[in-house]
Amino acid sequence: MIELQGGDVKVIEDYSLFGKAGNIYTVKAEKDGYMKYVNTRNIGIAACLLGAGRLKTEDKTDPVSGIIFNKKSGDKILKNDILFELHYNKADIDNVLKILKDSYIITEEKPKEIKRIKEVII
């Protein structure tokens, strides 16, 4: 797909060719507990505001912007663990953080594991 869109397929083997965002902001846990995502739509909006997606069709994307998730739902969290790395060039980072903080909670009890496959049909 990269080649068909005129991109350099060498980035698959060497990520350094892809480039890096000018800014990286780390979001750290404020307390111990377990990660629980409660609003994944907000994560998508936060990523768009960083430049990784479009809220409107005329919006431009920034291919080096995005969110690295260091914890998944159900993971044990210790205070000051890095939860997310926000990569961006231009963004209202305070607004992004506000939206992102509404997307997860850190609970005292481990959340129940969600059964992802309901049934196998053969």
Side-chain angles (χ1 to χ4, degrees):
M1 287 184 76
I2 294 170
E3 187 175 29
L4 290 173
Q5 295 181 35
D8 184 356
V9 295
K10 293 177 189 168
V11 298
I12 296 169
E13 300 295 328
D14 183 0
Y15 294 147
S16 69
L17 297 172
F18 193 66
K20 292 186 178 190
N23 303 293
I24 299 174
Y25 186 96
T26 56
V27 178
K28 295 183 179 182
E30 296 176 0
K31 63 181 183 176
D32 295 350
Y34 294 90
M35 175 63 90
K36 182 175 181 183
Y37 290 102
V38 292
N39 190 335
T40 54
R41 183 176 184 273
N42 278 2
I43 293 171
I45 292 170
C48 286
L49 294 175
L50 290 172
R54 294 180 177 94
L55 294 174
K56 302 179 298 261
T57 55
E58 60 270 12
D59 289 347
K60 301 254 188 243
T61 61
D62 182 355
V64 297
S65 295
I67 302 172
I68 294 177
F69 296 81
N70 292 309
K71 301 294 181 181
K72 63 183 185 294
S73 197
D75 281 355
K76 176 73 174 150
I77 305 291
L78 299 175
K79 184 176 181 175
N80 292 320
D81 278 354
I82 296 175
L83 304 176
F84 310 100
E85 293 175 27
L86 310 179
H87 294 247
Y88 64 98
N89 286 311
K90 291 186 206 174
D92 177 355
I93 197 67
D94 291 330
N95 192 35
V96 171
L97 290 171
K98 182 177 181 243
I99 291 168
L100 190 61
K101 284 190 184 235
D102 289 338
S103 70
Y104 71 94
I105 56 174
I106 297 176
T107 63
E108 290 183 18
E109 292 184 23
K110 186 172 182 167
K112 288 183 180 179
E113 194 169 318
I114 299 170
K115 188 175 179 182
R116 306 229 186 267
I117 300 173
K118 292 190 176 209
E119 167 181 9
V120 176
I121 301 172
I122 297 177

